[in-house]
Amino acid sequence: MSASTASTQLPDTPAAVLAALRCEQDARRDSEIRSMSLAAHWVALHPVADPSHPEACFQSPKTFAGEGSPPIDEFCVPELATKLAMTCDAAGSYLTDVIELRYRLPRLWAAILTGTVTPWRARVIAQTTVALTEQAATFVDAQTCWCANRLTPSQLSRLVDHARARYMPEALQRDQDASADKRHVTFETDQVSFDGTIHLDANLDIPDALALADAVKNGAAHLATLGSTDTLNGRRASALGDLARRQHPLPFADHDDAGQADSAAVAPPSTQLVIYAHLSTDAITHYDTGAPTRECLTGYVEQAGGRVLSADQIRAWCGRPEVQVVVKPVIDVRARLETTGYTPTARLREQVIARDRTCVFPWCGRNARRCDLDHVVPFDHDHPGQGGSTSSDNLAALCRRHHRLKTRGRWQYEMKASGEFVWTSPLGHLYLRDHTGSRAIDPPDQ
C-alpha cells in the first residue's frame, strides 16, 4: 500500500480521528479477551496424565498460579511460546495470569469476558494474588471485580495487605521479618551501554550512605585538583571506581615535600576484564588509526552481559594501570574440533559457547556459559563409534529447561550449518535459530 493510498483512508476531522482510535482500542480489548480465553483453553487441554497412563513418564506437572489452581503439563509452554514468538518465561508469566484469573479469581474472570473489566487491569490484580491463600484471593476477587478499572496501585496494595493480615497473619509476619533488611547493591550487568558503562543501584544504611557520599565527593574534588577535565558526574563515577580498587584510599596517598605521591601507596591492578575478541591482540595494541581503510574491530566483555565494544574502548582500558585486561585468543567458530570421549575439551567448549552465545532453543536468551552442551545426535555410551560425535558440528548450548525438553523427546532439532538449528515442535511446527535470532519457517498455509 502506498503512502498516498494510506493517507486517503485516514479520517478527515479530529472527531473522526478520535472515533477511529476508540474503535481500535475496543478491537484490541476484544482481541485480548479472545486471546486469554484461548490461553485458558490451551491450559485445559494439557492436564497432567494419570500416572498409569503410558504418557505419564513424559509429563512434568507444574502449578503456575496459586494454591488450588490445577497442575498442568509444563512442556505445553514451549509450544505456545514459540508459536507466539515469545520466550518460555514470558509465555509462562502470561499463562500464570490467565490461570490465576480463570481458577482463583472467577468474578474478575467473568467481568473480563463480559467486557466490564479491562484485561490488563485484571492481570495486574492477578499478579498480586498468586502468593495468597485461596481465602485471601477470594476476598481480593470480591473486593475488586466491581471496581478494577478505577483501582489505583496504592489502593490495590492496601487491599492485598488487608487480605494477608486477615487471612494470613503468620505468613505476613514472616514476610515482614524477612524483608526488614532493604539494603542491596545491584549491578545491571545485562543492561550495558555501548560506551562501556553499567548501571548501579543501591540501598544503604544512612551512616554508610552518607560516608560513601562524602568519599565520592572528596574523590571527585581530588581528581579535579589533579587536572581531570571530566564532568562532575564523570569524576564522581571515577572516584567510586577508585574506592573499589583502593587506588586512592581515604585519606588519599601521602605526598612528599615536592608534592609527589608515594608510589608505594598505589595498589596493584585489582580489576580483571576478560575480553573475547573478534580480532587479534596485535590489532588492539597496534591499531593504525591512520590507515586509509579502517576495519571495524570489535570484541565483547563476558562479565558485562556479552556487550560488544569497540577496539578504541578496549585499547583505552589496556592503558589503565588498575585494570588487568585478559584477551582470549581468537577462536575460529567455523573450524571443526572433535574429541573421542563424551566430555568436550576446554577449547571445544569455548568454541561452542563463542559460536552460540545463548541457548539455541528458539527465542531463549540464557547465556551459553551457563548452559549444558548437548549432543544433537545422542552420544552412544555403549558403542561410542556408533553414536553422535563430540564435535563442533554435533554440540549445541541448551539451558537446563530446554535440554530436558529435547531429552524427553518432546522437541527435536538438527544443525543445518555452523550455529544454524532447525527445531521441530510436537505439533510439527518448524523454527530456525541462527546468529540473526529466531523465526518460524512453517509453510504459509499452516
Side-chain angles (χ1 to χ4, degrees):
M1 178 183 300
S2 65
S4 60
T5 303
S7 63
T8 59
Q9 297 178 350
L10 297 178
D12 296 327
T13 65
V17 169
L18 291 179
L21 284 172
R22 180 55 188 264
C23 289
E24 294 295 331
Q25 183 185 61
D26 292 343
R28 285 195 298 271
R29 182 198 60 199
D30 294 342
S31 177
E32 180 59 21
I33 294 172
R34 175 68 173 165
S35 294
M36 293 178 71
S37 299
L38 290 170
H41 189 51
W42 175 262
V43 169
L45 292 174
H46 293 86
V48 178
D50 183 86
S52 62
H53 194 276
E55 289 293 318
C57 61
F58 294 107
Q59 299 281 323
S60 179
K62 183 174 181 64
T63 302
F64 282 85
E67 67 175 29
S69 60
I72 65 173
D73 180 6
E74 175 189 7
F75 293 128
C76 76
V77 177
E79 185 84 61
L80 175 71
T82 50
K83 195 63 178 177
L84 300 181
M86 301 169 65
T87 66
C88 290
D89 287 337
S93 297
Y94 179 69
L95 288 180
T96 298
D97 295 347
V98 170
I99 295 170
E100 181 75 4
L101 287 163
R102 171 65 180 81
Y103 294 96
R104 301 220 317 152
L105 306 174
R107 293 174 178 170
L108 269 173
W109 180 254
I112 293 172
L113 298 182
T114 58
T116 56
V117 171
T118 306
W120 72 265
R121 292 185 181 275
R123 289 184 60 190
V124 170
I125 296 172
Q127 291 161 10
T128 68
T129 63
V130 172
L132 301 183
T133 62
E134 289 189 76
Q135 274 189 314
T138 299
F139 173 80
V140 173
D141 186 30
Q143 298 297 316
T144 59
C145 64
W146 57 276
C147 61
N149 283 349
R150 57 182 185 272
L151 198 64
T152 67
S154 58
Q155 289 173 330
L156 176 59
S157 179
R158 288 195 296 269
L159 178 60
V160 171
D161 287 343
H162 180 65
R164 290 167 62 82
R166 181 173 180 178
Y167 297 102
M168 306 169 58
E170 295 180 358
L172 179 62
Q173 185 60 48
R174 286 196 304 269
D175 291 345
Q176 289 176 340
D177 294 341
S179 64
D181 190 353
K182 300 293 187 181
R183 296 173 300 172
H184 75 95
V185 177
T186 305
F187 295 88
E188 301 292 345
T189 56
D190 291 332
Q191 301 288 332
V192 184
S193 65
F194 187 75
D195 61 4
T197 60
I198 293 177
H199 178 74
L200 165 65
D201 181 55
N203 273 348
L204 308 177
D205 285 334
I206 291 177
D208 293 339
L210 294 177
L212 181 60
D214 286 339
V216 169
K217 178 182 177 181
N218 293 336
H222 179 76
L223 291 174
T225 63
L226 294 179
S228 173
T229 59
D230 284 347
T231 63
L232 175 60
N233 283 335
R235 295 198 307 274
R236 288 170 61 85
S238 297
L240 185 60
D242 288 339
L243 287 174
R245 291 183 292 271
R246 300 188 183 278
Q247 185 176 359
H248 296 292
L250 297 179
F252 290 102
D254 294 334
H255 291 67
D256 57 24
D257 294 337
Q260 299 295 319
D262 181 4
S263 60
V266 178
S270 57
T271 301
Q272 184 183 81
L273 294 172
V274 180
I275 297 176
Y276 291 79
H278 295 288
L279 63 164
S280 66
T281 305
D282 288 342
I284 296 176
T285 57
H286 302 98
Y287 185 43
D288 183 7
T289 58
T293 57
R294 295 187 58 184
E295 181 184 359
C296 180
L297 305 176
T298 61
Y300 67 93
V301 182
E302 188 168 288
Q303 299 110 300
R307 183 72 197 196
V308 174
L309 299 169
S310 69
D312 290 339
Q313 178 71 64
I314 298 170
R315 190 170 61 257
W317 286 344
C318 289
R320 295 176 60 172
E322 77 280 6
V323 177
Q324 180 187 24
V325 178
V326 178
V327 181
K328 289 287 187 178
V330 177
I331 298 177
D332 185 356
V333 296
R334 295 188 178 276
R336 186 181 188 277
L337 302 180
E338 183 177 6
T339 185
T340 56
Y342 173 76
T343 304
T345 63
R347 181 168 176 77
L348 177 54
R349 178 176 179 80
E350 287 294 321
Q351 183 199 44
V352 174
I353 290 172
R355 181 196 68 198
D356 295 342
R357 301 289 294 278
T358 67
C359 169
V360 302
F361 188 82
W363 288 283
C364 184
R366 286 183 171 83
N367 192 310
R369 190 161 294 279
R370 296 191 290 270
C371 291
D372 302 330
L373 292 193
D374 175 57
H375 288 74
V376 180
V377 178
F379 185 87
D380 191 333
H381 291 273
D382 297 328
H383 306 91
Q386 300 179 15
S389 61
T390 304
S391 59
S392 307
D393 53 6
N394 194 47
L395 289 176
L398 288 182
C399 68
R400 188 57 54 87
R401 171 193 290 172
H402 296 131
H403 196 174
R404 289 174 56 230
L405 197 70
K406 179 255 184 178
T407 301
R408 292 200 177 193
R410 294 299 187 89
W411 286 68
Q412 300 175 354
Y413 75 128
E414 57 182 324
M415 189 186 305
K416 293 295 187 180
S418 178
E420 296 182 9
F421 304 90
V422 173
W423 286 84
T424 305
S425 78
L427 296 181
H429 299 296
L430 301 177
Y431 302 92
L432 173 67
R433 189 278 191 190
D434 58 18
H435 70 282
T436 65
S438 305
R439 61 184 181 275
I441 54 175
D442 291 339
D445 60 342
Q446 291 192 11

